[in-house]
Amino acid sequence: WGGFGHITIAYVASSFVNDQTATYFQTLLRNDSSDYLANVATWADNIRYTKWGHFTGPFHFIDAKDDPPSSCDVIMERDCKSEGCVISALQNYTSRLIDAGRSLPAWEHEQAAKFIIHFVGDMHQPLHTEDVAKGGNGIHVKFDNKFLNLHHVWDTSILEKIVGGVRGSPYGAAQQLADQLVADIRSGKYQTESKSWLDGIKLDDVEGTALIWARESNAYVCTHVLPQGPKAIVGQELGDSYYDDAAPVVEIQVARAGFRLAAWLDLLAAKIAANK
Ligand code: ADE
Ligand code: ZN
Ligand code: ZN
């Protein structure tokens, strides 16, 4: 996701975490405002292009070598690179934050938290679970009268179009969208189905949990991102019908990511408190 997506996900999560979780992460992140998650949600993208952060590049995605639109699936052994992927990264930074042996300095716990807040979001972007043309970065299309790559359309353009455009600082618009999604989850269009969004979530099986989330995300590559396959979309203008089908997917994926991030942070804070 772009900054707007990650910040929205963080605000959704802030609304669902319990009080102990909020206090734990506010202390860890040294920010006692209500923006403590939102303010670090894009940090992992800022450091990935620096020299010292270069090794974290592969942690933002898992390149599923499947064959959309006929087959979509994520298989750990096949798709997670030896340098790592978003699933192994969530596994690694989750165990570093728990730090069962209590051997890591506080700054490493803080860094692990910032990676977790970002990567739970990324695995909900369908093209962050897909190998084809580097997650669509190599597929050029026209969207909203602009020449863009398909990855950018799904990271940024669709979500920004949903809210009528984002100009200047994304924080205000993200808070507004998050408030709407929180209302949809609590008492609106997601109320019933959101009960099942936490199915299978287990802090002691990070890979299993993340695979559930990544497979659900990757399934949209077959149904909504590349419904006619990759060759058919190259150079095309994505019209109203593509957007009308895609927008609800982007919206539900942002809502799920925020809701699940809150649950993950709750599990983490409870486990860490129990280890003390
Ligand atoms: N680079 C290679 N594959 C990618 C993907 N699926 N998403 C983002 N960047 C990538
Ligand atoms: Zn992306
Ligand atoms: Zn990312």
Side-chain angles (χ1 to χ4, degrees):
W1 306 110
F4 181 58
H6 282 288
I7 294 164
T8 304
I9 289 164
Y11 279 132
V12 171
S14 315
S15 286
F16 286 108
V17 291
N18 67 45
D19 292 349
Q20 293 91 306
T21 302
T23 302
Y24 170 75
F25 283 97
Q26 283 176 326
T27 305
L28 184 66
L29 299 167
R30 296 170 295 161
N31 181 342
D32 57 13
S33 79
S34 57
D35 305 325
Y36 64 107
L37 300 178
N39 280 342
V40 298
T42 59
W43 171 84
D45 277 333
N46 299 333
I47 62 117
R48 75 184 274 198
Y49 301 104
T50 66
K51 198 166 161 188
W52 69 268
H54 188 70
F55 74 101
T56 64
F59 300 173
H60 295 254
F61 55 85
I62 181 164
D63 273 345
K65 285 151 196 74
D66 48 10
D67 188 21
S70 58
S71 78
C72 275
D73 199 7
V74 180
I75 300 168
M76 199 57 187
E77 301 68 35
R78 181 190 66 181
D79 301 326
C80 191
K81 294 182 209 254
S82 55
E83 314 92 278
C85 65
V86 71
I87 295 178
S88 62
L90 184 66
Q91 163 91 264
N92 178 242
Y93 290 112
T94 294
S95 58
R96 292 176 81 85
L97 183 51
I98 296 170
D99 192 13
R102 272 171 276 175
S103 57
L104 298 176
W107 70 266
E108 291 222 43
H109 296 155
E110 182 182 352
Q111 200 176 80
K114 293 194 283 190
F115 280 123
I116 291 165
I117 292 159
H118 186 89
F119 294 147
V120 169
D122 269 347
M123 62 178 73
H124 285 78
Q125 206 279 53
L127 283 170
H128 277 245
T129 67
E130 182 55 52
D131 185 44
V132 167
K134 293 199 184 301
N137 276 294
I139 296 176
H140 296 271
V141 295
K142 196 171 173 187
F143 179 86
D144 235 10
N145 277 316
K146 289 184 279 285
F147 293 98
L148 301 166
N149 73 63
L150 189 65
H151 189 93
H152 186 274
V153 170
W154 280 84
D155 259 356
T156 300
S157 310
I158 295 168
L159 191 63
E160 293 193 355
K161 190 177 165 94
I162 288 172
V163 300
V166 175
R167 290 158 299 271
S169 167
Y171 287 87
Q175 177 71 257
Q176 256 192 358
L177 174 58
D179 288 347
Q180 180 59 56
L181 296 175
V182 168
D184 290 340
I185 293 168
R186 288 215 168 104
S187 55
K189 63 185 177 190
Y190 303 137
Q191 190 184 351
T192 308
E193 61 175 301
S194 60
K195 306 281 176 277
S196 66
W197 287 356
L198 304 183
D199 287 0
I201 188 171
K202 278 196 208 139
L203 196 55
D204 58 14
D205 183 11
V206 185
E207 187 181 304
T209 301
L211 264 172
I212 293 172
W213 299 347
R215 284 183 174 138
E216 172 190 72
S217 181
N218 180 260
Y220 289 118
V221 176
C222 281
T223 56
H224 292 77
V225 181
L226 299 169
Q228 328 269 30
K231 289 201 182 80
I233 205 169
V234 172
Q236 296 297 303
E237 169 152 25
L238 307 179
D240 290 346
S241 77
Y242 187 93
Y243 170 78
D244 291 343
D245 289 345
V249 172
V250 168
E251 204 176 281
I252 199 170
Q253 287 300 94
V254 169
R256 280 174 172 147
F259 192 65
R260 286 166 172 166
L261 175 58
W264 198 249
L265 299 181
D266 279 348
L267 290 171
L268 272 164
K271 170 112 184 162
I272 291 160
N275 283 352
K276 279 234 166 78

mmCIF file of all heavy atoms in Angstrom, residues 156-194:
data_model
loop_
_atom_site.group_PDB
_atom_site.id
_atom_site.type_symbol
_atom_site.label_atom_id
_atom_site.label_comp_id
_atom_site.label_asym_id
_atom_site.label_seq_id
_atom_site.Cartn_x
_atom_site.Cartn_y
_atom_site.Cartn_z
ATOM 1 N N THR A 156 -2.408 2.478 -4.328
ATOM 2 C CA THR A 156 -2.701 3.886 -4.053
ATOM 3 C C THR A 156 -3.941 4.427 -4.765
ATOM 4 O O THR A 156 -4.818 5.027 -4.134
ATOM 5 C CB THR A 156 -1.477 4.741 -4.476
ATOM 6 O OG1 THR A 156 -0.345 4.303 -3.717
ATOM 7 C CG2 THR A 156 -1.707 6.216 -4.243
ATOM 8 N N SER A 157 -3.996 4.247 -6.099
ATOM 9 C CA SER A 157 -4.976 5.004 -6.886
ATOM 10 C C SER A 157 -6.419 4.639 -6.561
ATOM 11 O O SER A 157 -7.278 5.529 -6.474
ATOM 12 C CB SER A 157 -4.726 4.806 -8.383
ATOM 13 O OG SER A 157 -3.368 5.035 -8.680
ATOM 14 N N ILE A 158 -6.700 3.342 -6.412
ATOM 15 C CA ILE A 158 -8.085 2.927 -6.159
ATOM 16 C C ILE A 158 -8.555 3.471 -4.807
ATOM 17 O O ILE A 158 -9.647 4.049 -4.701
ATOM 18 C CB ILE A 158 -8.222 1.386 -6.222
ATOM 19 C CG1 ILE A 158 -7.918 0.882 -7.637
ATOM 20 C CG2 ILE A 158 -9.622 0.945 -5.776
ATOM 21 C CD1 ILE A 158 -7.729 -0.637 -7.746
ATOM 22 N N LEU A 159 -7.723 3.315 -3.787
ATOM 23 C CA LEU A 159 -8.119 3.764 -2.443
ATOM 24 C C LEU A 159 -8.304 5.284 -2.392
ATOM 25 O O LEU A 159 -9.255 5.788 -1.782
ATOM 26 C CB LEU A 159 -7.075 3.315 -1.404
ATOM 27 C CG LEU A 159 -7.490 3.498 0.055
ATOM 28 C CD1 LEU A 159 -8.716 2.654 0.395
ATOM 29 C CD2 LEU A 159 -6.339 3.154 1.008
ATOM 30 N N GLU A 160 -7.408 6.018 -3.058
ATOM 31 C CA GLU A 160 -7.548 7.480 -3.061
ATOM 32 C C GLU A 160 -8.778 7.927 -3.839
ATOM 33 O O GLU A 160 -9.435 8.908 -3.461
ATOM 34 C CB GLU A 160 -6.260 8.129 -3.595
ATOM 35 C CG GLU A 160 -5.092 7.893 -2.631
ATOM 36 C CD GLU A 160 -3.854 8.735 -2.901
ATOM 37 O OE1 GLU A 160 -3.817 9.478 -3.913
ATOM 38 O OE2 GLU A 160 -2.916 8.644 -2.086
ATOM 39 N N LYS A 161 -9.112 7.192 -4.894
ATOM 40 C CA LYS A 161 -10.321 7.528 -5.672
ATOM 41 C C LYS A 161 -11.583 7.281 -4.828
ATOM 42 O O LYS A 161 -12.555 8.038 -4.923
ATOM 43 C CB LYS A 161 -10.343 6.705 -6.964
ATOM 44 C CG LYS A 161 -11.410 7.126 -7.975
ATOM 45 C CD LYS A 161 -11.284 6.300 -9.246
ATOM 46 C CE LYS A 161 -12.506 6.409 -10.141
ATOM 47 N NZ LYS A 161 -12.379 7.445 -11.180
ATOM 48 N N ILE A 162 -11.551 6.247 -3.999
ATOM 49 C CA ILE A 162 -12.700 5.937 -3.134
ATOM 50 C C ILE A 162 -13.063 7.150 -2.265
ATOM 51 O O ILE A 162 -14.238 7.436 -2.049
ATOM 52 C CB ILE A 162 -12.399 4.702 -2.238
ATOM 53 C CG1 ILE A 162 -12.393 3.407 -3.076
ATOM 54 C CG2 ILE A 162 -13.407 4.584 -1.086
ATOM 55 C CD1 ILE A 162 -11.910 2.168 -2.336
ATOM 56 N N VAL A 163 -12.047 7.861 -1.778
ATOM 57 C CA VAL A 163 -12.321 9.005 -0.897
ATOM 58 C C VAL A 163 -12.348 10.336 -1.657
ATOM 59 O O VAL A 163 -12.408 11.399 -1.042
ATOM 60 C CB VAL A 163 -11.310 9.090 0.280
ATOM 61 C CG1 VAL A 163 -11.383 7.829 1.132
ATOM 62 C CG2 VAL A 163 -9.886 9.340 -0.220
ATOM 63 N N GLY A 164 -12.293 10.266 -2.974
ATOM 64 C CA GLY A 164 -12.371 11.488 -3.772
ATOM 65 C C GLY A 164 -11.058 12.230 -3.886
ATOM 66 O O GLY A 164 -11.048 13.440 -4.156
ATOM 67 N N GLY A 165 -9.939 11.527 -3.673
ATOM 68 C CA GLY A 165 -8.616 12.147 -3.815
ATOM 69 C C GLY A 165 -8.046 12.553 -2.468
ATOM 70 O O GLY A 165 -8.798 12.886 -1.548
ATOM 71 N N VAL A 166 -6.719 12.485 -2.365
ATOM 72 C CA VAL A 166 -6.019 12.858 -1.129
ATOM 73 C C VAL A 166 -4.975 13.903 -1.495
ATOM 74 O O VAL A 166 -4.067 13.635 -2.280
ATOM 75 C CB VAL A 166 -5.322 11.629 -0.485
ATOM 76 C CG1 VAL A 166 -4.511 12.036 0.727
ATOM 77 C CG2 VAL A 166 -6.343 10.560 -0.135
ATOM 78 N N ARG A 167 -5.135 15.104 -0.972
ATOM 79 C CA ARG A 167 -4.174 16.177 -1.256
ATOM 80 C C ARG A 167 -3.514 16.606 0.053
ATOM 81 O O ARG A 167 -4.165 16.640 1.099
ATOM 82 C CB ARG A 167 -4.867 17.375 -1.907
ATOM 83 C CG ARG A 167 -5.333 17.111 -3.341
ATOM 84 C CD ARG A 167 -6.445 18.064 -3.765
ATOM 85 N NE ARG A 167 -7.620 17.911 -2.905
ATOM 86 C CZ ARG A 167 -8.598 17.042 -3.146
ATOM 87 N NH1 ARG A 167 -8.557 16.265 -4.214
ATOM 88 N NH2 ARG A 167 -9.629 16.930 -2.316
ATOM 89 N N GLY A 168 -2.223 16.876 -0.050
ATOM 90 C CA GLY A 168 -1.498 17.302 1.158
ATOM 91 C C GLY A 168 -1.301 16.143 2.116
ATOM 92 O O GLY A 168 -1.194 14.999 1.683
ATOM 93 N N SER A 169 -1.283 16.446 3.411
ATOM 94 C CA SER A 169 -1.039 15.407 4.413
ATOM 95 C C SER A 169 -2.148 14.361 4.391
ATOM 96 O O SER A 169 -3.334 14.695 4.387
ATOM 97 C CB SER A 169 -0.966 16.036 5.798
ATOM 98 O OG SER A 169 -1.034 15.010 6.777
ATOM 99 N N PRO A 170 -1.769 13.070 4.373
ATOM 100 C CA PRO A 170 -2.782 12.016 4.302
ATOM 101 C C PRO A 170 -3.461 11.710 5.642
ATOM 102 O O PRO A 170 -4.455 10.981 5.668
ATOM 103 C CB PRO A 170 -1.975 10.795 3.846
ATOM 104 C CG PRO A 170 -0.581 11.050 4.332
ATOM 105 C CD PRO A 170 -0.401 12.544 4.296
ATOM 106 N N TYR A 171 -2.963 12.269 6.749
ATOM 107 C CA TYR A 171 -3.424 11.828 8.074
ATOM 108 C C TYR A 171 -4.905 12.125 8.332
ATOM 109 O O TYR A 171 -5.625 11.269 8.847
ATOM 110 C CB TYR A 171 -2.528 12.401 9.176
ATOM 111 C CG TYR A 171 -1.174 11.715 9.192
ATOM 112 C CD1 TYR A 171 -0.135 12.180 8.382
ATOM 113 C CD2 TYR A 171 -0.949 10.586 9.967
ATOM 114 C CE1 TYR A 171 1.100 11.535 8.350
ATOM 115 C CE2 TYR A 171 0.270 9.929 9.944
ATOM 116 C CZ TYR A 171 1.296 10.418 9.134
ATOM 117 O OH TYR A 171 2.502 9.763 9.097
ATOM 118 N N GLY A 172 -5.359 13.324 7.988
ATOM 119 C CA GLY A 172 -6.753 13.684 8.227
ATOM 120 C C GLY A 172 -7.716 12.813 7.421
ATOM 121 O O GLY A 172 -8.695 12.270 7.952
ATOM 122 N N ALA A 173 -7.410 12.643 6.132
ATOM 123 C CA ALA A 173 -8.268 11.824 5.270
ATOM 124 C C ALA A 173 -8.235 10.363 5.706
ATOM 125 O O ALA A 173 -9.250 9.659 5.639
ATOM 126 C CB ALA A 173 -7.811 11.955 3.814
ATOM 127 N N ALA A 174 -7.077 9.906 6.168
ATOM 128 C CA ALA A 174 -6.955 8.511 6.630
ATOM 129 C C ALA A 174 -7.769 8.291 7.897
ATOM 130 O O ALA A 174 -8.465 7.281 8.034
ATOM 131 C CB ALA A 174 -5.490 8.152 6.861
ATOM 132 N N GLN A 175 -7.727 9.234 8.814
ATOM 133 C CA GLN A 175 -8.517 9.128 10.053
ATOM 134 C C GLN A 175 -10.016 9.067 9.715
ATOM 135 O O GLN A 175 -10.756 8.259 10.286
ATOM 136 C CB GLN A 175 -8.200 10.311 10.973
ATOM 137 C CG GLN A 175 -8.994 10.359 12.265
ATOM 138 C CD GLN A 175 -8.584 9.262 13.252
ATOM 139 O OE1 GLN A 175 -9.271 8.261 13.398
ATOM 140 N NE2 GLN A 175 -7.452 9.459 13.916
ATOM 141 N N GLN A 176 -10.427 9.913 8.773
ATOM 142 C CA GLN A 176 -11.841 9.934 8.338
ATOM 143 C C GLN A 176 -12.268 8.602 7.741
ATOM 144 O O GLN A 176 -13.326 8.056 8.081
ATOM 145 C CB GLN A 176 -12.020 11.005 7.259
ATOM 146 C CG GLN A 176 -12.683 12.255 7.771
ATOM 147 C CD GLN A 176 -13.101 13.176 6.620
ATOM 148 O OE1 GLN A 176 -12.854 12.902 5.429
ATOM 149 N NE2 GLN A 176 -13.737 14.265 6.982
ATOM 150 N N LEU A 177 -11.448 8.069 6.830
ATOM 151 C CA LEU A 177 -11.777 6.782 6.214
ATOM 152 C C LEU A 177 -11.772 5.684 7.269
ATOM 153 O O LEU A 177 -12.648 4.814 7.282
ATOM 154 C CB LEU A 177 -10.774 6.467 5.090
ATOM 155 C CG LEU A 177 -10.899 5.084 4.437
ATOM 156 C CD1 LEU A 177 -12.283 4.850 3.836
ATOM 157 C CD2 LEU A 177 -9.813 4.898 3.356
ATOM 158 N N ALA A 178 -10.792 5.731 8.171
ATOM 159 C CA ALA A 178 -10.717 4.712 9.226
ATOM 160 C C ALA A 178 -11.971 4.748 10.096
ATOM 161 O O ALA A 178 -12.533 3.698 10.428
ATOM 162 C CB ALA A 178 -9.462 4.925 10.080
ATOM 163 N N ASP A 179 -12.432 5.939 10.450
ATOM 164 C CA ASP A 179 -13.650 6.058 11.262
ATOM 165 C C ASP A 179 -14.829 5.388 10.568
ATOM 166 O O ASP A 179 -15.649 4.715 11.201
ATOM 167 C CB ASP A 179 -13.979 7.537 11.536
ATOM 168 C CG ASP A 179 -13.007 8.177 12.520
ATOM 169 O OD1 ASP A 179 -12.242 7.442 13.176
ATOM 170 O OD2 ASP A 179 -13.003 9.428 12.622
ATOM 171 N N GLN A 180 -14.925 5.587 9.245
ATOM 172 C CA GLN A 180 -16.001 4.963 8.473
ATOM 173 C C GLN A 180 -15.876 3.435 8.491
ATOM 174 O O GLN A 180 -16.856 2.719 8.712
ATOM 175 C CB GLN A 180 -15.972 5.488 7.032
ATOM 176 C CG GLN A 180 -17.049 4.921 6.137
ATOM 177 C CD GLN A 180 -18.447 5.209 6.677
ATOM 178 O OE1 GLN A 180 -18.812 6.360 6.903
ATOM 179 N NE2 GLN A 180 -19.240 4.152 6.923
ATOM 180 N N LEU A 181 -14.650 2.939 8.287
ATOM 181 C CA LEU A 181 -14.440 1.482 8.263
ATOM 182 C C LEU A 181 -14.709 0.877 9.641
ATOM 183 O O LEU A 181 -15.273 -0.221 9.746
ATOM 184 C CB LEU A 181 -13.020 1.154 7.782
ATOM 185 C CG LEU A 181 -12.699 1.564 6.341
ATOM 186 C CD1 LEU A 181 -11.226 1.309 6.010
ATOM 187 C CD2 LEU A 181 -13.594 0.832 5.330
ATOM 188 N N VAL A 182 -14.319 1.584 10.692
ATOM 189 C CA VAL A 182 -14.578 1.102 12.060
ATOM 190 C C VAL A 182 -16.086 1.004 12.294
ATOM 191 O O VAL A 182 -16.578 0.003 12.846
ATOM 192 C CB VAL A 182 -13.912 2.042 13.096
ATOM 193 C CG1 VAL A 182 -14.399 1.745 14.514
ATOM 194 C CG2 VAL A 182 -12.387 1.910 13.014
ATOM 195 N N ALA A 183 -16.835 2.003 11.836
ATOM 196 C CA ALA A 183 -18.299 1.961 11.970
ATOM 197 C C ALA A 183 -18.882 0.804 11.147
ATOM 198 O O ALA A 183 -19.800 0.109 11.609
ATOM 199 C CB ALA A 183 -18.908 3.294 11.524
ATOM 200 N N ASP A 184 -18.340 0.578 9.949
ATOM 201 C CA ASP A 184 -18.808 -0.542 9.116
ATOM 202 C C ASP A 184 -18.559 -1.886 9.804
ATOM 203 O O ASP A 184 -19.341 -2.818 9.676
ATOM 204 C CB ASP A 184 -18.089 -0.537 7.754
ATOM 205 C CG ASP A 184 -18.516 0.619 6.863
ATOM 206 O OD1 ASP A 184 -19.600 1.188 7.090
ATOM 207 O OD2 ASP A 184 -17.753 0.961 5.926
ATOM 208 N N ILE A 185 -17.427 -1.987 10.513
ATOM 209 C CA ILE A 185 -17.086 -3.242 11.204
ATOM 210 C C ILE A 185 -17.957 -3.416 12.450
ATOM 211 O O ILE A 185 -18.495 -4.488 12.715
ATOM 212 C CB ILE A 185 -15.581 -3.262 11.585
ATOM 213 C CG1 ILE A 185 -14.703 -3.326 10.321
ATOM 214 C CG2 ILE A 185 -15.276 -4.443 12.516
ATOM 215 C CD1 ILE A 185 -13.212 -3.065 10.572
ATOM 216 N N ARG A 186 -18.121 -2.344 13.202
ATOM 217 C CA ARG A 186 -18.863 -2.439 14.470
ATOM 218 C C ARG A 186 -20.356 -2.655 14.249
ATOM 219 O O ARG A 186 -20.976 -3.472 14.922
ATOM 220 C CB ARG A 186 -18.686 -1.148 15.284
ATOM 221 C CG ARG A 186 -17.304 -0.988 15.868
ATOM 222 C CD ARG A 186 -17.363 -0.286 17.248
ATOM 223 N NE ARG A 186 -16.068 -0.404 17.923
ATOM 224 C CZ ARG A 186 -15.182 0.587 18.014
ATOM 225 N NH1 ARG A 186 -15.449 1.789 17.514
ATOM 226 N NH2 ARG A 186 -14.030 0.375 18.639
ATOM 227 N N SER A 187 -20.922 -1.924 13.295
ATOM 228 C CA SER A 187 -22.381 -1.940 13.198
ATOM 229 C C SER A 187 -22.891 -1.727 11.782
ATOM 230 O O SER A 187 -24.051 -1.407 11.592
ATOM 231 C CB SER A 187 -22.942 -0.842 14.102
ATOM 232 O OG SER A 187 -22.353 0.400 13.756
ATOM 233 N N GLY A 188 -22.040 -1.902 10.792
ATOM 234 C CA GLY A 188 -22.451 -1.655 9.411
ATOM 235 C C GLY A 188 -22.247 -2.863 8.520
ATOM 236 O O GLY A 188 -22.414 -3.998 8.949
ATOM 237 N N LYS A 189 -21.795 -2.614 7.295
ATOM 238 C CA LYS A 189 -21.793 -3.675 6.273
ATOM 239 C C LYS A 189 -20.843 -4.840 6.569
ATOM 240 O O LYS A 189 -21.008 -5.907 5.983
ATOM 241 C CB LYS A 189 -21.485 -3.077 4.898
ATOM 242 C CG LYS A 189 -20.114 -2.436 4.759
ATOM 243 C CD LYS A 189 -19.969 -1.760 3.386
ATOM 244 C CE LYS A 189 -18.627 -1.069 3.275
ATOM 245 N NZ LYS A 189 -18.523 -0.215 2.084
ATOM 246 N N TYR A 190 -19.858 -4.645 7.459
ATOM 247 C CA TYR A 190 -18.943 -5.754 7.790
ATOM 248 C C TYR A 190 -19.261 -6.415 9.128
ATOM 249 O O TYR A 190 -18.533 -7.300 9.572
ATOM 250 C CB TYR A 190 -17.485 -5.277 7.827
ATOM 251 C CG TYR A 190 -16.974 -4.629 6.561
ATOM 252 C CD1 TYR A 190 -16.199 -3.468 6.625
ATOM 253 C CD2 TYR A 190 -17.233 -5.181 5.301
ATOM 254 C CE1 TYR A 190 -15.708 -2.864 5.472
ATOM 255 C CE2 TYR A 190 -16.754 -4.583 4.147
ATOM 256 C CZ TYR A 190 -15.986 -3.420 4.237
ATOM 257 O OH TYR A 190 -15.499 -2.834 3.097
ATOM 258 N N GLN A 191 -20.319 -5.967 9.792
ATOM 259 C CA GLN A 191 -20.578 -6.420 11.166
ATOM 260 C C GLN A 191 -20.636 -7.950 11.272
ATOM 261 O O GLN A 191 -19.986 -8.543 12.134
ATOM 262 C CB GLN A 191 -21.889 -5.824 11.689
ATOM 263 C CG GLN A 191 -22.094 -6.061 13.176
ATOM 264 C CD GLN A 191 -23.444 -5.553 13.675
ATOM 265 O OE1 GLN A 191 -24.184 -4.880 12.958
ATOM 266 N NE2 GLN A 191 -23.769 -5.871 14.913
ATOM 267 N N THR A 192 -21.386 -8.576 10.377
ATOM 268 C CA THR A 192 -21.553 -10.032 10.447
ATOM 269 C C THR A 192 -20.262 -10.755 10.070
ATOM 270 O O THR A 192 -19.766 -11.591 10.826
ATOM 271 C CB THR A 192 -22.696 -10.474 9.507
ATOM 272 O OG1 THR A 192 -23.839 -9.673 9.823
ATOM 273 C CG2 THR A 192 -23.022 -11.937 9.684
ATOM 274 N N GLU A 193 -19.693 -10.404 8.916
ATOM 275 C CA GLU A 193 -18.547 -11.181 8.443
ATOM 276 C C GLU A 193 -17.273 -10.920 9.234
ATOM 277 O O GLU A 193 -16.398 -11.785 9.299
ATOM 278 C CB GLU A 193 -18.313 -10.966 6.953
ATOM 279 C CG GLU A 193 -18.000 -9.535 6.581
ATOM 280 C CD GLU A 193 -17.652 -9.420 5.094
ATOM 281 O OE1 GLU A 193 -16.695 -10.063 4.650
ATOM 282 O OE2 GLU A 193 -18.348 -8.675 4.390
ATOM 283 N N SER A 194 -17.169 -9.756 9.864
ATOM 284 C CA SER A 194 -15.933 -9.465 10.590
ATOM 285 C C SER A 194 -15.733 -10.422 11.769
ATOM 286 O O SER A 194 -14.608 -10.602 12.231
ATOM 287 C CB SER A 194 -15.901 -8.014 11.062
ATOM 288 O OG SER A 194 -16.980 -7.736 11.912
#
